Amino acid sequence: IKLTDIRIQGGGGSVGEQNLLIHLFNYIMTVRIRTERVDVSCSEMPRELLDGFKAATLDTLRAMKDYRPDLSFRGFGLALNLHARLDGMTARDYLARFVTSVPQNLGPSIGVGTIFYFGANEGRVFTNVIADVSAIIPDALFVRVHAAWDAGSVTPDALMAGADAFIQRVLEGLGL
């Protein structure tokens, strides 16, 4: 990390929006340390950098605890957006199996998408899964997984250790 990769942002006058912005992995990963939360986001998810992303996330949370030992986290969130082409099937054909009835008299249907909502399970407070046609990659599927965990039910280390298995279960549940 270089000093040019770290910025203090003012947040438009709101104390709650002031943050320390850190760019990692040649600007692919962004860490924002705010007064009330820590946001870690990745613009890409190259498989060869995945372990580094997880380590950087854990290092950030550990550094926060080292700096403020009395600090407690209330929850952890994960949002993952995937775009992929499907072998032997279009995204529209894949999505059609989840939606059996399309509203009529609204014009010609140009496709369907779906969202699934799941309640508390295995320390998670909720999980949402969106499946739709990708707006970025032609003829591809878009899947968004959004989940939150109660920090009293899972440690950051356990969350990172189980993240791959959780995402794999979501994709398997979608038949992917």
Side-chain angles (χ1 to χ4, degrees), residues 86 88-99 110-112 133 139-141:
L86 303 173
M89 180 182 294
T90 68
R92 292 187 194 291
D93 289 342
Y94 168 81
L95 291 166
R97 67 187 187 171
F98 292 108
V99 180
I110 59 172
V112 297
V133 174
D139 302 319
L141 179 69

Side-chain angles (χ1 to χ4, degrees), residues 6-9 17-22 31-35 39:
I6 303 171
R7 285 192 196 142
I8 297 174
Q9 293 192 321
E17 288 301 313
Q18 290 184 347
N19 65 86
L20 180 65
L21 173 65
I22 305 165
V31 176
R32 287 186 191 274
I33 300 172
R34 301 175 187 271
T35 55
D39 297 327

Side-chain angles (χ1 to χ4, degrees), residues 6-81:
I6 303 171
R7 285 192 196 142
I8 297 174
Q9 293 192 321
S14 169
V15 174
E17 288 301 313
Q18 290 184 347
N19 65 86
L20 180 65
L21 173 65
I22 305 165
H23 294 289
L24 300 170
F25 300 97
N26 200 25
Y27 287 79
I28 295 175
M29 180 181 222
T30 301
V31 176
R32 287 186 191 274
I33 300 172
R34 301 175 187 271
T35 55
E36 297 179 342
R37 70 179 192 263
V38 177
D39 297 327
V40 179
S41 59
C42 301
S43 59
E44 299 174 37
M45 195 68 72
R47 187 162 294 283
E48 66 273 9
L49 294 178
L50 196 54
D51 287 339
F53 291 166
K54 289 180 187 179
T57 301
L58 284 173
D59 287 348
T60 300
L61 297 176
R62 288 180 185 135
M64 299 287 298
K65 286 293 277 184
D66 288 347
Y67 179 72
R68 292 270 319 268
D70 62 327
L71 179 71
S72 64
F73 297 107
R74 291 183 297 184
F76 303 106
L78 168 77
L80 178 66
N81 298 326

Side-chain angles (χ1 to χ4, degrees), residues 64-147:
M64 299 287 298
K65 286 293 277 184
D66 288 347
Y67 179 72
R68 292 270 319 268
D70 62 327
L71 179 71
S72 64
F73 297 107
R74 291 183 297 184
F76 303 106
L78 168 77
L80 178 66
N81 298 326
L82 304 168
H83 298 265
R85 288 195 175 95
L86 303 173
D87 289 335
M89 180 182 294
T90 68
R92 292 187 194 291
D93 289 342
Y94 168 81
L95 291 166
R97 67 187 187 171
F98 292 108
V99 180
T100 57
S101 177
V102 176
Q104 300 299 310
N105 302 324
L106 297 174
S109 175
I110 59 172
V112 297
T114 188
I115 183 166
F116 301 97
Y117 298 97
F118 302 95
N121 187 28
E122 298 176 349
R124 286 186 311 280
V125 178
F126 69 84
T127 302
N128 300 337
V129 180
I130 296 172
D132 203 349
V133 174
S134 173
I136 296 175
I137 300 174
D139 302 319
L141 179 69
F142 168 74
V143 174
R144 182 174 199 269
V145 180
H146 182 214

